[in-house]
Amino acid sequence: MYKEPNSINQYTAPDDQPIADLSFIENAMQRYGRSRINPNVPDVNTDWYKEIMHSASRQQNHSLSITGGDKNTDYSVGVSYFEQQGLLKMKNSYERLNFRGNLDQEVNNWLKVGLNMNLSNGIKYLANDAAWFDAYHAVPILPVYDQENYDDLVSQEIPHPSHYANAQILQYRDIQNPFFDLAYTNHKQDIKKIYAGLYAEISIIPKKLTFKTDYNISWMFLRDRNVGLPFYVSATSNQNRQLSTLTTSRTLQANKYFDNVLTYTDKFGRHNVTAMAGTSYRDEWYDWLQGYAEDVPLQENSWYIGQSRSEDSKTVDDNAERIYGMSYFGRIAYNYGDKYLAYVTLRREGTSKYQQKWGTFPAFGLGWVISEESFFSGINFINYLKFRGGWGRLGNDKIARQDGANTTTPIYIAVDDTKTDGTTTTNTFGYLGWEIVEGTNAGLSARLFDNRLSIESDYYIRDTKDAAIPVLLKLQPGSILKNVGVIRNSGFELAMTWNGQISKDFSYTVGANLSTLKNEVRDLYGQQYLDGGQAEFRQRSQIGEPLLSFYGYKVAGVYQNQAEVDADPIATANGLVPGDLKFADQNNDQVIDDNDKVFLGSYFPDLTYGANLGLRYKNIEFSMNIMGQRGNKILNRKRGEILWTNDTNIDANLANGLWHGEGTSNKYPSAAALRRGWDQNFSNYFLEDGAFWRIQNIQIAYNIKGSKLLGAGMPDARIYLTAEKPLTVFNYNGFSPEVPDGIDRQFYPVPAVYTIGLNLKF
C-alpha cells in the first residue's frame, strides 16, 4: 500500500543530516513556533495529500430508456446524466448529458433499414496534475496558510496577495505549496459530440445472399480554456505570477465512414460455406486553433483573447489534418460437418497518410473439432474439444508519416580576410510507412463434465515488423525514424470457467485466467543498441532484451563503516564514505564505469492474471472480480527529482529506511548520500517492484420480479451495491502500480468507487 511522504513526527534526523536541512527547521520554528510534543521541531506537521484531496468525491449516473415497436419496427430512445467530482480541492469535475435514439424497420421481406443517433454535451474542469508532484515534494514543516505573510503583503498594497504559505520564506528554493497549483488554475473544457448512422440491409437471395451498407458520421467540438490567475507570494520570490495568463483553443473533428459488405452463406450436405466481400471508406479530419494572451481581466465572462490588455503577449497557432482511407477485403470460411474448419481473409488497405499508400494483409486459420470424430465417442467426460491455429498480418497506420527535416543554415567564413557568406545544408528527412503486425497462434477450446468446465488456451507470437525505430545518422549527430525494426511479443493465455448448480435456487460460477508476455527486440537494423529515456534515467533497447529496458548499475549494498570503505579500491578511488551505495563490479576490474551497467528490468509485466466468482440464490446475486500482474519494474521518478532540487521532501518509506549508522540499512543510502553524484547514478535503487493484485469489482444485487402492491402489478426492479477497485495490494511507493510506461513522476490516484443503484423496468 502507498506510504505517504515523511511526517516530521515520524522521523528523527540522522547524524549526517545536511546543515541546510537543519537551518530550514530552525527557520520554521522561528516563524511558526515549536511543537509542544517535541520542542526540537516546528509546530507544523502538514499532511499535504490530506490537505489537497477530498476525503470522498461524489459521483452520480442516471438513465431513462424507452423501447417499443411491433413485428416490423423496433425503436428505443434514452437520456442519461453523469456527474463526477474530482479528487482535488479545486474546480475539478465532469458533467455530461447524453441523448440517444435507435430505429430499425423491416420495410418488406427483402429490405431492412435503420438509423441511430447519439448527442452528448459535457463540461469538464481539469485537475492541475502538477499538484500531485508538488504535494509529494512539499515539506511538512510548511503550513497551508501564512496569515503573517498575507498581512505584510496587504500592508504594502501589493496586488493579488496570496494567503498560502511559501517555502521560500524558510529559505527553500521553491514555493513548494501545491495550493498555488490548485487555487490559481481554472481549466475548463466544453465538449459536444454528435454521432449519427444509418444502414440498409437487402436480402438478395433469402437466407443465402445479403448486402449491407452502413454510413456513419461523427463530429466533436471542443473548446478548451486554461486560465492562470495572478498571485504574489513575496517581494523576493521568482515565482510570483503578476499577470493572468490565458490559453484557449478550438478543436473540430469530423469523421465519416462508409462500409459495404456482401455476404453469401450456403450449405451442401455436410459442407458449409460463408463468403464475404466488401469495402470500407473513411474520411478523418480535424482543425485546431489556439491563442495565448496575458493580463486578461479576472472576471470569468472576460476570459477571451480580445479582452487582454497586453497586445505584445498575444500569440496564435493552428494546425489541421485530413486523412483518407480505403479498404477492400474478403473472407471465405468453410467447415465440414462442424468438424473440419478453415478460413482465409485478405485485406488491401490504403491510406493517404503515407507515400506507400497501399498494404496487403492476408490471414488464414484451421480448426479441428476432434470431439466430433467417431473414435472420440467413448470419452464421455469431454463434451467438446477443438484444436485451432492461424497466421495473419495486420497493418498499423498510427505512426507518424515522416521524420527529420531538410535544413539550410547560414554560415560566415573569412576568405582573404574578407567576411564571406555561405550556407550549409542538412538532409535528414525521410518518409515512414505501414508497420506490419504478423501473428501466429495455436490453441484449443474445450468443454468438459457435462459442459460445466470450459477451457480456452492459446500460445501466440506477434512480430511487429517494419517498426519505426531511430537509426543513427552517418557523418552527423542525431537519428531519424525508419521502418526497419522488429519487435516480438509472445506468450501463453489460459482461461477456465466452472459453472455449477447445487439446487434449483442456488447456482455459482468460478473462473480464472492468466497470460504471460515475453517482449523482445529482434532487429535494430544492424545497430548494437538504441538508448531511450533521459540520460539520468537510461533505458536501452538491445537485441534479445525487452524494448526500452531500464539500464544502469546494480546496487550490491551500502558501505557500512570506514573499514569497509578502506578495503575497497573502488570506494577509495571515488572518495566514498559510509552510507554511500555500493555498485556491483560486473567485470571485476576494480573500476565502476559503463562496462558495469546491466539491464535492470522492464516495465512490461511478464504475468497478468485474474479470477471471478458469481453466486446466485433465488433473487440474490453476488459477483466479484480480481486481477493482478507481476514481473514489471517501475521507475520511481519522484525520488530522482533530488538530482535537480535537493531541498524537497521525500516519502516516508525512504526517510525511515535511510542509512544512519552501521547495520541500519543495506538498501537505502544516507541522507547526505542522496545529494552526492555517486549515489545519483542511475541504478536499481530508483526501481521498484510493480507487482500488485486488486479486487476490481464487487457487486451484490436483489431482483424483484412479478410483485404486486394492493393488487396492482409492480415494475421489475433490481437493487444493487457495487464497489469498484475497493482494494489494491502492492509494495510500490506510489499512488498506483499501474503506470503505463513504467515511469512515475506524477500520477493521478485511482479512487475506489462505491455505488448504490436501482433499475426499474416498466
Side-chain angles (χ1 to χ4, degrees):
M1 304 294 287
Y2 181 62
K3 289 85 174 175
E4 290 185 350
N6 181 44
S7 166
I8 58 172
N9 286 343
Q10 299 173 330
Y11 171 56
T12 301
D15 293 338
D16 65 346
Q17 182 79 36
I19 299 300
D21 288 0
L22 298 177
S23 69
F24 298 147
I25 295 174
E26 290 289 343
N27 294 337
M29 287 191 294
Q30 291 178 16
R31 187 169 187 87
Y32 306 121
R34 295 177 179 270
S35 169
R36 296 179 181 180
I37 300 173
N38 181 357
N40 294 317
V41 296
D43 192 23
V44 180
N45 188 16
T46 305
D47 183 336
W48 286 106
Y49 285 122
K50 183 178 179 180
E51 293 293 339
I52 69 172
M53 287 194 294
H54 296 289
S55 58
S57 60
R58 183 184 67 253
Q59 178 175 308
Q60 54 180 322
N61 191 3
H62 310 284
S63 62
L64 175 66
S65 298
I66 301 174
T67 61
D70 54 32
K71 66 176 184 178
N72 295 322
T73 306
D74 292 305
Y75 69 86
S76 69
V77 293
V79 60
S80 63
Y81 173 77
F82 176 81
E83 189 261 345
Q84 181 180 30
Q85 182 187 48
L87 294 177
L88 289 172
K89 292 180 180 178
M90 64 177 297
K91 203 154 189 177
N92 175 208
S93 61
Y94 180 48
E95 188 176 19
R96 184 187 67 235
L97 184 63
N98 193 79
F99 297 91
R100 63 172 179 81
N102 296 81
L103 176 65
D104 296 291
Q105 175 72 46
E106 287 193 16
V107 180
N108 51 44
N109 60 359
W110 58 268
L111 176 62
K112 182 179 180 180
V113 297
L115 60 89
N116 59 82
M117 178 171 287
N118 197 313
L119 310 174
S120 72
N121 183 37
I123 297 177
K124 180 185 292 187
Y125 286 92
L126 281 73
N128 188 344
D129 287 340
W132 303 114
F133 182 80
D134 288 342
Y136 176 91
H137 291 99
V139 292
I141 61 174
L142 181 73
V144 175
Y145 302 98
D146 190 331
Q147 187 65 35
E148 179 183 346
N149 184 60
Y150 175 76
D151 293 341
D152 183 54
L153 295 174
V154 171
S155 67
Q156 300 177 53
E157 299 183 352
I158 298 293
H160 315 300
S162 177
H163 286 85
Y164 296 109
N166 169 22
Q168 291 176 323
I169 291 179
L170 306 180
Q171 303 304 311
Y172 287 99
R173 297 184 185 182
D174 296 318
I175 57 179
Q176 296 198 17
N177 192 329
F179 278 91
F180 289 101
D181 300 319
L182 303 180
Y184 301 104
T185 300
N186 188 300
H187 191 176
K188 180 183 179 183
Q189 289 184 340
D190 291 300
I191 310 164
K192 294 176 173 61
K193 295 181 180 180
I194 302 173
Y195 171 84
L198 56 88
Y199 76 90
E201 186 174 323
I202 303 172
S203 177
I204 302 172
I205 302 176
K207 297 182 180 180
K208 287 190 177 182
L209 183 62
T210 61
F211 174 75
K212 186 175 183 181
T213 181
D214 286 272
Y215 182 77
N216 298 282
I217 187 167
S218 65
W219 293 274
M220 191 274 288
F221 307 90
L222 170 64
R223 177 176 180 261
D224 187 284
R225 183 203 66 200
N226 192 356
V227 176
L229 298 172
F231 60 83
Y232 200 94
V233 293
S234 74
T236 59
S237 176
N238 59 352
Q239 294 176 295
N240 297 316
R241 185 189 293 157
Q242 300 187 23
L243 298 176
S244 60
T245 63
L246 169 64
T247 303
T248 184
S249 66
R250 305 289 187 273
T251 302
L252 171 62
Q253 290 183 353
N255 300 326
K256 304 172 186 177
Y257 304 95
F258 186 37
D259 300 322
N260 296 276
V261 179
L262 186 68
T263 304
Y264 176 77
T265 303
D266 209 345
K267 184 175 183 179
F268 311 94
R270 301 194 69 186
H271 302 276
N272 301 279
V273 177
T274 300
M276 180 187 70
T279 64
S280 180
Y281 169 80
R282 74 180 192 274
D283 176 1
E284 299 171 332
W285 171 76
Y286 87 92
D287 191 279
W288 172 79
L289 176 67
Q290 177 177 282
Y292 173 82
E294 296 177 355
D295 198 15
V296 295
L298 302 186
Q299 298 77 23
E300 185 169 359
N301 59 5
S302 297
W303 288 346
Y304 296 95
I305 298 294
Q307 297 292 322
S308 168
R309 295 177 288 250
S310 173
E311 290 295 325
D312 292 340
S313 70
K314 294 180 180 179
T315 61
V316 66
D317 192 11
D318 67 343
N319 195 11
E321 184 176 49
R322 192 165 193 171
I323 296 176
Y324 299 96
M326 188 72 192
S327 301
Y328 302 93
F329 52 87
R331 175 185 171 94
I332 298 176
Y334 167 82
N335 82 70
Y336 177 77
D338 294 326
K339 184 191 303 184
Y340 308 114
L341 307 96
Y343 72 86
V344 177
T345 67
L346 182 66
R347 295 186 68 92
R348 180 74 169 158
E349 301 273 7
T351 178
S352 63
K353 187 174 185 178
Y354 300 131
Q355 295 296 303
Q356 176 194 346
K357 306 295 185 187
W358 293 92
T360 302
F361 309 107
F364 70 87
L366 298 171
W368 179 24
V369 185
I370 191 173
S371 56
E372 292 294 315
E373 298 287 358
S374 58
F375 62 78
F376 209 84
S377 59
I379 307 177
N380 296 324
F381 72 93
I382 300 180
N383 307 105
Y384 178 84
L385 178 61
K386 179 176 77 173
F387 295 106
R388 62 179 184 273
W391 173 92
R393 284 184 171 180
L394 294 173
N396 175 28
D397 63 350
K398 303 306 180 185
I399 62 173
R401 66 176 72 217
Q402 63 205 27
D403 191 34
N406 295 326
T407 60
T408 300
T409 305
I411 62 171
Y412 307 95
I413 60 174
V415 177
D416 296 330
D417 295 327
T418 301
K419 179 182 178 182
T420 303
D421 299 343
T423 60
T424 60
T425 302
T426 301
N427 182 359
T428 63
F429 182 83
Y431 288 111
L432 295 170
W434 292 93
E435 284 188 341
I436 298 173
V437 180
E438 183 178 288
T440 303
N441 74 285
L444 63 85
S445 299
R447 296 193 298 272
L448 298 82
F449 308 116
D450 294 327
N451 295 310
R452 287 179 293 178
L453 176 63
S454 62
I455 300 174
E456 298 286 337
S457 178
D458 284 276
Y459 178 77
Y460 67 91
I461 298 174
R462 284 193 289 269
D463 288 339
T464 300
K465 298 184 175 181
D466 296 335
I469 64 170
V471 175
L472 296 177
L473 298 170
K474 296 181 179 180
L475 304 179
Q476 57 182 305
S479 64
I480 184 174
L481 291 176
K482 290 186 177 182
N483 292 104
V484 291
V486 178
I487 312 297
R488 169 168 290 184
N489 289 312
S490 61
F492 173 74
E493 296 175 341
L494 175 65
M496 298 187 295
T497 302
W498 177 275
N499 295 291
Q501 185 85 32
I502 295 177
S503 67
K504 183 182 72 172
D505 295 327
F506 187 24
S507 60
Y508 65 93
T509 299
V510 179
N513 63 82
L514 63 85
S515 177
T516 67
L517 171 64
K518 180 182 180 182
N519 178 269
E520 181 183 5
V521 177
R522 304 278 289 182
D523 192 351
L524 293 175
Y525 196 59
Q527 300 172 105
Q528 184 178 359
Y529 59 83
L530 290 174
D531 280 339
Q534 288 182 265
E536 295 85 1
F537 305 99
R538 178 60 66 206
Q539 292 174 271
R540 175 167 289 186
S541 300
Q542 184 171 303
I543 292 176
E545 297 290 339
L547 184 71
L548 291 174
S549 294
F550 298 114
Y551 186 77
Y553 297 122
K554 186 174 182 179
V555 175
V558 176
Y559 290 102
Q560 297 294 323
N561 51 53
Q562 190 61 44
E564 185 178 3
V565 170
D566 294 340
D568 187 349
I570 295 173
T572 56
N574 290 278
L576 305 185
V577 298
D580 281 324
L581 292 174
K582 182 191 300 183
F583 297 134
D585 183 10
Q586 300 290 343
N587 56 4
N588 297 313
D589 64 353
Q590 304 297 312
V591 175
I592 296 297
D593 55 21
D594 286 350
N595 295 320
D596 297 299
K597 293 181 178 180
V598 295
F599 290 96
L600 302 171
S602 166
Y603 64 88
F604 292 104
D606 55 32
L607 175 66
T608 58
Y609 57 89
N612 62 278
L613 171 66
L615 303 174
R616 186 185 192 96
Y617 179 71
K618 292 185 178 180
N619 294 330
I620 301 174
E621 296 178 5
F622 173 83
S623 63
M624 181 174 67
N625 297 281
I626 68 170
M627 64 162 293
Q629 67 182 39
R630 55 169 295 173
N632 60 305
K633 297 294 184 181
I634 299 175
L635 169 58
N636 194 334
R637 177 67 174 71
K638 300 185 296 294
R639 287 184 175 177
E641 195 67 19
I642 199 170
L643 273 68
W644 296 280
T645 306
N646 60 18
D647 59 359
T648 54
N649 193 34
I650 58 179
D651 60 79
N653 177 274
L654 175 59
N656 292 325
L658 288 173
W659 184 95
H660 54 276
E662 185 172 352
T664 55
S665 175
N666 204 37
K667 178 181 179 181
Y668 293 147
S670 66
L674 291 177
R675 294 160 168 82
R676 286 197 282 269
W678 171 268
D679 300 88
Q680 293 173 354
N681 281 298
F682 184 51
S683 67
N684 59 332
Y685 155 73
F686 293 101
L687 299 177
E688 297 187 45
D689 186 5
F692 74 92
W693 71 268
R694 167 188 292 151
I695 298 178
Q696 191 76 359
N697 181 280
I698 299 177
Q699 184 179 91
I700 185 168
Y702 185 76
N703 300 293
I704 304 173
K705 296 183 178 180
S707 298
K708 292 186 177 182
L709 180 64
L710 301 177
M714 297 293 292
D716 291 345
R718 178 181 175 86
I719 305 169
Y720 60 89
L721 297 171
T722 301
E724 298 179 32
K725 302 178 182 177
L727 176 65
T728 304
V729 178
F730 57 96
N731 290 320
Y732 172 63
N733 288 286
F735 275 126
S736 172
E738 288 186 288
V739 182
D741 60 358
I743 302 174
D744 183 7
R745 187 173 184 269
Q746 54 186 26
F747 200 81
Y748 199 95
V750 179
V753 180
Y754 301 92
T755 305
I756 181 170
L758 171 66
N759 290 339
L760 296 175
K761 185 177 181 181
F762 296 89

